[in-house]
Amino acid sequence: MGNVVAIIGRPNVGKSTLFNRLTETRQAIVDEMSGVTRDRHYGKVNWIGKDFSLIDTGGYIQGSDDVFEEEIRKQVKIAINEADLLLFMVDVKEGATPLDEEVANILRRCKKEVLLVANKADNGARSAQAGEFYSLGLGEVYPISSVNGSGTGELLDKIIESLNFDDVVEVDEDVPKVSIIGKPNVGKSSLINSLIGEDRNIVTSIAGTTRDTLHVRYKLFGNDVILVDTAGIRKKAKVNEDIEFYSVMRSIKAIEGSDVCIIVVDATLGMEAQDMSIFGMIEKNKKGVVIFVNKWDLVEKSTNTMKEFEELIKERLAPFTDVPVVFGSALNKQRLIKLLEVVKQVYENKTKKIGTSELNNFFQPLMEAYPPPSQKGKYIQIKYVTQLPTKTPSFAFFCNLPQYVQASYARFLENKLREKYDFTGIPVQIFFRKK
């Protein structure tokens, strides 16, 4: 399973700035692609070859000032339950506030590791001031400036040292790991129950899997899959917590543990903003994706409703529209076999390998007929292409001037690749490299 790190703290201490710096998304507040804000509070960080997921909890806090403090406490508690490591951020300029002290009280009692990050330590004098936060009783203080980046290297070293990268799930590699994801009340549990149903005898929980998600292996309709079930472990305690934030934390764990994700969408509501942010997370993690439009039996049908609905969904997903959509009903067990067949096909697409000579035989004539447009009077020549030995399909195009190849040409090549070889449901990466 992946490691999840959450940034917590009161408003305006610089959580988003640190998030943007670590995930290197200066401009990634809005994804211009399709006019949809992809999830801007979740990102992947890579440091010295290790990956972890980062969540900025600040983006999930709603309410006026008096509600704020209550919300922050809730967020902190959810983050303690769901994250593997917490970055508690305070502001050197303002010093320790009563709210900081209260959060520190909650954190001292929790079993999770906490790194105390003192932000806005832009100069030597400010760094010295950071010492006052030792009074919070959370151990070492890490002075940083999320604006100019000082201290963030040491912080990242410490994060990597604190995370556990050996907590690996021992699961059969050749069996697709499938997770069912979606916002609350779209019918995820009904889908899981209809798939595994009362036939619990064909279900085996796999020993040695990690604590936070349940891996259930089962054979059904001739399909052998492992279901990554995160819904089954919800603590009965307070489910009235901030549901959106809670479900985002859960989804991330499930996405990282799976090969193919089924996004369950409510047919009566259509593809909403939260569905889009889930789609964005799956895309960032380079996982296979299938969209299951549930409760299709409740929709008034005209002649081409299904086709229109699918087009609407794909419009919202642009530019990654090569995604299978299955319409059905979890309660009435409608088209579930079809859903599993599609999942299986997407898994096969994810693990597909294409020989170098075959790729070049296909692409060379194509690139001669439609060469990349010249830039600044320079002509780009692509010599050859090969598939990289990565877990998800990625291709390297070797050329003389990789920096001049435009995104539109990369998309053209990707579309041709998808037409020729079936990569439906799989994010494909294309790199241009110097020969």
Side-chain angles (χ1 to χ4, degrees):
M1 296 300 289
N3 279 299
V4 178
V5 177
I7 309 175
I8 54 179
R10 53 190 181 75
N12 306 323
V13 290
K15 296 191 290 295
S16 304
T17 320
L18 178 65
F19 173 84
N20 288 346
R21 178 168 282 283
L22 298 188
T23 54
E24 296 177 60
T25 48
R26 305 285 172 284
Q27 75 304 334
I29 293 297
V30 180
D31 186 359
E32 275 76 25
M33 275 325 195
S34 52
V36 184
T37 318
R38 293 273 206 255
D39 201 351
R40 59 173 174 272
H41 314 301
Y42 162 75
K44 301 290 282 182
V45 182
N46 181 297
W47 184 250
I48 54 170
K50 302 267 196 209
D51 277 333
F52 62 89
S53 291
L54 187 66
I55 295 166
D56 166 17
T57 60
Y60 296 94
I61 290 178
Q62 299 107 14
S64 57
D65 288 351
D66 46 334
V67 187
F68 248 176
E69 305 202 357
E70 190 42 47
E71 280 285 330
I72 291 166
R73 281 183 216 110
K74 267 195 223 164
Q75 301 289 6
V76 168
K77 286 176 177 156
I78 296 174
I80 288 172
N81 278 331
E82 302 297 325
D84 300 298
L85 175 69
L86 303 166
L87 304 182
F88 174 30
M89 202 171 207
V90 290
D91 178 340
V92 173
K93 270 206 237 171
E94 291 193 26
T97 67
L99 186 54
D100 291 333
E101 283 165 15
E102 200 179 321
V103 171
N105 283 337
I106 302 173
L107 292 174
R108 278 200 306 274
R109 294 197 295 271
C110 84
K111 300 276 183 284
K112 291 279 163 76
E113 184 165 359
V114 179
L115 302 182
L116 181 55
V117 181
N119 191 24
K120 306 186 189 173
D122 309 334
N123 52 38
R126 287 258 181 87
S127 292
Q129 276 173 290
E132 73 158 287
F133 292 104
Y134 281 100
S135 66
L136 295 176
L138 289 167
E140 189 66 45
V141 177
Y142 294 86
I144 66 157
S145 162
S146 51
V147 171
N148 69 28
S150 66
T152 48
E154 292 85 340
L155 177 62
L156 280 164
D157 288 340
K158 181 62 187 167
I159 291 173
I160 296 296
E161 185 192 314
S162 306
L163 291 173
N164 179 4
F165 288 93
D166 311 320
D167 188 11
V168 182
V169 184
E170 288 306 318
V171 180
D172 190 337
E173 276 302 305
D174 302 330
V175 181
K177 294 188 279 300
V178 179
S179 57
I180 294 169
I181 298 175
K183 36 180 214 292
N185 308 324
V186 289
K188 298 188 293 291
S189 306
S190 319
L191 180 56
I192 290 174
N193 292 343
S194 295
L195 286 172
I196 350 185
E198 289 30 76
D199 306 330
R200 290 277 165 181
N201 56 343
I202 53 169
V203 173
T204 44
S205 280
I206 292 166
T209 51
T210 49
R211 63 211 173 284
D212 30 29
T213 41
L214 196 69
H215 286 66
V216 178
R217 177 153 187 183
Y218 79 119
K219 293 184 168 65
L220 195 63
F221 315 126
N223 291 294
D224 187 4
V225 300
I226 290 169
L227 269 189
V228 182
D229 176 13
T230 49
I233 334 166
R234 173 164 298 171
K235 304 179 188 63
K236 284 289 175 281
K238 305 179 186 58
V239 180
N240 60 348
E241 293 150 340
D242 183 337
I243 289 291
E244 186 197 349
F245 177 58
Y246 184 80
S247 65
V248 166
M249 296 286 280
R250 274 288 143 110
S251 303
I252 290 168
K253 295 249 157 150
I255 290 167
E256 297 195 335
S258 54
D259 297 306
V260 181
C261 304
I262 300 171
I263 302 182
V264 184
V265 175
D266 185 329
T268 59
L269 299 174
M271 192 93 180
E272 297 189 314
Q274 208 183 332
D275 301 310
M276 293 301 304
S277 73
I278 290 172
F279 183 77
M281 291 194 276
I282 294 169
E283 214 179 342
K284 269 187 195 138
N285 276 284
K286 308 282 176 277
K287 303 293 186 182
V289 59
V290 177
I291 292 174
F292 180 63
V293 181
N294 190 24
K295 310 184 190 177
W296 188 241
D297 48 330
L298 305 179
V299 175
E300 290 282 313
K301 312 288 189 297
S302 64
T303 33
N304 44 6
T305 318
M306 200 178 275
K307 194 169 181 303
E308 280 169 14
F309 201 98
E310 185 166 340
E311 276 166 13
L312 276 175
I313 287 180
K314 295 200 168 173
E315 227 166 80
R316 299 214 61 186
L317 299 184
F320 175 30
T321 54
D322 189 7
V323 175
V325 182
V326 178
F327 294 84
S329 158
L331 276 182
N332 306 340
K333 304 199 173 180
Q334 232 176 0
R335 305 195 72 207
L336 298 192
I337 297 181
K338 165 82 173 152
L339 177 64
L340 284 175
E341 281 166 4
V342 171
V343 164
K344 209 168 174 182
Q345 184 55 54
V346 168
Y347 177 71
E348 279 164 19
N349 296 349
K350 182 175 184 276
T351 46
K352 184 177 293 179
K353 297 278 179 268
I354 304 161
T356 302
S357 58
E358 190 184 335
L359 276 173
N360 285 289
N361 290 343
F362 171 63
F363 273 114
Q364 286 304 347
L366 182 75
M367 293 185 297
E368 274 162 34
Y370 304 99
S374 63
Q375 286 286 315
K376 302 182 182 172
K378 295 189 161 63
Y379 289 94
I380 302 158
Q381 290 167 317
I382 299 180
K383 301 284 192 289
Y384 74 105
V385 53
T386 182
Q387 184 171 358
L388 299 169
T390 46
K391 274 193 173 169
T392 48
S394 19
F395 299 85
F397 287 76
F398 290 88
C399 56
N400 56 344
L401 301 163
Q403 67 277 27
Y404 287 126
V405 182
Q406 290 182 300
S408 55
Y409 192 72
R411 209 149 35 239
F412 161 74
L413 293 178
E414 183 185 327
N415 290 339
K416 291 296 175 200
L417 187 71
R418 288 180 180 281
E419 277 168 33
K420 170 84 172 153
Y421 304 100
D422 184 6
F423 283 113
T424 301
I426 301 297
V428 169
Q429 287 178 288
I430 284 185
F431 300 100
F432 296 93
R433 296 209 171 143
K434 190 101 178 132
K435 180 145 170 44

